[in-house]
Amino acid sequence: MATGNGHTNDGQEPETTDVDTAGINDENNESDSTQTNADSKTESPQTHEVPDSPSRLARMNSNISQMNDNVKASATQVKEKALELHEKIQKRRVIVVWAILSAILVVVIIIAGTYAFWQSRHGEEYNYQQLQELAQKPKGMSKTGGLPAFKASDYNPKAPSIDLYVDYFCPGCATVEQGFFRPMKDMLAARQVNLYIHPVNFLDNKTKNHYSTRAASAVAYVASHQPERLFDFSTALYDKTYQPSKDHNRDVSDQEIIDQAVKAGVKESIAENSTKGTYNDYVKKATKYTSSRKELYVTMQDQFRFSTPTICINGKMWQYRQLHTLDDVTPTLINSIGLHREQVGNPKVTPAIGPDGEAIPIQQKYL
């Protein structure tokens, strides 16, 4: 029987009800642990990194690759647009340039046409006026630019005038002038003719160092200071051992020109001054005027133009080009002014045609 003091009558230990103390302890421990973990989380929060999975990395790489492709595509488009714009600008530029060039060409054609028309109507008159207004004229120059090959005191108003147009680079001029040098000298001495030499430079661009201009200017200087030696000097410039030519073109020095003048009897001081270009402007303007005179034109190589040598008798062109050969020029010229060969150099005989008559037609035997 149980007593109030909790002891049994038989002295044995009192029975107790079994309680799962372990469970309680576990709960308490769990509670403590939870509390501890909560405190721990509160006091020291921790971050846990989750590694990228292979699939996520693949997607990221794919996105990056797509972005690169998009960037490349955009760059390509920008480049194509830029090239397209550049091509358009270039095309417009070409169109503008061609339009400008076409306009300039039209203007040039109009100007050239107008100038050609003006020259055909007024060129000769204008060039003639320019020749007359020369600041430095050769002494004794004729209205047409001829240089007298005689002293003023030897002019014969009853004799015919002969005008000889030459370029000192012209081989045909050499043949003609060398051929009638002696008969012409004799006629000049007998005052049977009045000879005028017209030096031109229309072959100048074919010579070296502007030889045609330099030689013509030297001739003009001699004509102004020692006219009685002009024809001799002019002929000396055609010496075969001296004259430059198409086949033997060379740069002729001033000293060589001076030497030829001295050989022809020109005073040394005059010869030395003759190469200073005193009459270059005369040569230029005389050539322009002469080249614009249609009455001096001939058909050469299918072109109607001025050519040398040209010979005029009393102001009208003498048609020596009808002759078989240039060797016939001298006897035919003598006959055309009304002289016989044996009368050449006779001061008592004046040519039949006089100062105003036309040349006698060339005899058939010379044609």
Side-chain angles (χ1 to χ4, degrees), residues 136 217-218 220-221 225 273-282:
Q136 187 80 15
S217 181
Y221 191 89
H225 295 82
N273 288 326
S274 71
T275 58
K276 298 185 182 299
T278 305
Y279 293 106
N280 284 358
D281 196 35
Y282 153 75

Side-chain angles (χ1 to χ4, degrees), residues 53-360:
S53 64
S55 61
R56 184 177 180 186
L57 288 173
R59 286 196 300 274
M60 290 176 65
N61 289 334
S62 176
N63 290 337
I64 292 172
S65 177
Q66 184 64 39
M67 290 175 63
N68 288 335
D69 291 342
N70 291 340
V71 170
K72 290 180 180 179
S74 298
T76 300
Q77 290 177 355
V78 170
K79 185 177 180 179
E80 290 176 351
K81 290 291 185 182
L83 288 173
E84 183 180 351
L85 180 60
H86 179 72
E87 289 178 358
K88 287 182 179 179
I89 292 173
Q90 286 295 98
K91 288 180 180 178
R92 288 178 182 176
R93 185 176 295 171
V94 170
I95 292 173
V96 170
V97 170
W98 275 109
I100 293 173
L101 290 176
S102 298
I104 292 174
L105 181 61
V106 170
V107 172
V108 169
I109 291 173
I110 292 173
I111 293 174
T114 303
Y115 178 74
F117 177 78
W118 183 87
Q119 278 283 3
S120 66
R121 294 293 185 90
H122 308 289
E124 181 179 342
E125 179 183 346
Y126 173 78
N127 292 330
Y128 175 80
Q129 193 62 34
Q130 289 291 300
L131 180 62
Q132 307 313 311
E133 295 175 359
L134 272 171
Q136 187 80 15
K137 288 183 184 179
K139 187 177 179 180
M141 185 190 83
S142 69
K143 291 293 184 180
T144 57
L147 305 175
F150 51 88
K151 290 182 179 179
S153 58
D154 289 333
Y155 174 75
N156 186 355
K158 296 180 180 180
S161 293
I162 296 177
D163 291 274
L164 179 61
Y165 297 81
V166 295
D167 186 304
Y168 290 102
F169 189 71
C170 167
C173 298
T175 301
V176 169
E177 194 160 325
Q178 290 283 354
F180 67 45
F181 173 72
R182 177 46 55 191
M184 185 62 68
K185 281 285 292 181
D186 291 340
M187 287 189 289
L188 284 171
R191 300 177 64 224
Q192 291 176 311
V193 294
N194 301 307
L195 176 65
Y196 295 87
I197 295 178
H198 298 252
V200 295
N201 71 342
F202 81 111
L203 295 177
D204 203 49
N205 62 345
K206 296 183 179 180
T207 69
K208 291 185 177 180
N209 197 19
H210 304 287
Y211 175 73
S212 288
T213 296
R214 292 164 54 226
S217 181
V219 164
Y221 191 89
V222 171
S224 295
H225 295 82
Q226 204 173 352
E228 69 278 12
R229 290 297 178 184
L230 172 60
F231 185 57
D232 301 72
F233 177 39
S234 179
T235 305
L237 292 176
Y238 289 119
D239 190 293
K240 292 180 180 179
T241 62
Y242 162 84
Q243 185 194 19
S245 64
K246 180 180 178 182
D247 296 329
H248 301 286
N249 201 356
R250 61 190 182 85
D251 189 353
V252 180
S253 68
D254 286 347
Q255 187 58 51
E256 288 180 280
I257 296 175
I258 293 170
D259 291 342
Q260 289 303 107
V262 172
K263 287 179 183 179
V266 177
K267 294 178 182 178
E268 191 168 347
S269 59
I270 295 174
E272 290 176 352
N273 288 326
S274 71
T275 58
K276 298 185 182 299
T278 305
Y279 293 106
N280 284 358
D281 196 35
Y282 153 75
V283 175
K284 177 181 176 182
K285 292 183 178 178
T287 300
K288 280 191 173 182
Y289 169 61
T290 300
S291 299
S292 66
R293 294 173 61 187
K294 296 295 191 299
E295 74 272 16
L296 300 181
Y297 280 27
V298 292
T299 300
M300 298 287 291
Q301 299 175 347
D302 298 326
Q303 290 184 334
F304 188 59
R305 59 183 176 83
F306 172 77
S307 179
T308 56
T310 288
I311 301 173
C312 292
I313 297 177
N314 286 337
K316 293 186 179 181
M317 187 165 64
W318 181 54
Q319 300 294 343
Y320 75 89
R321 290 179 176 83
Q322 303 174 38
L323 304 175
H324 289 304
T325 173
L326 292 178
D327 292 335
D328 291 333
V329 170
T330 299
T332 308
L333 177 67
I334 293 171
N335 183 263
S336 293
I337 62 175
L339 284 178
H340 296 294
R341 183 66 187 235
E342 63 274 10
Q343 295 173 326
V344 171
N346 187 343
K348 296 181 180 180
V349 180
T350 302
I353 65 171
D356 301 312
E358 294 186 3
I360 297 170

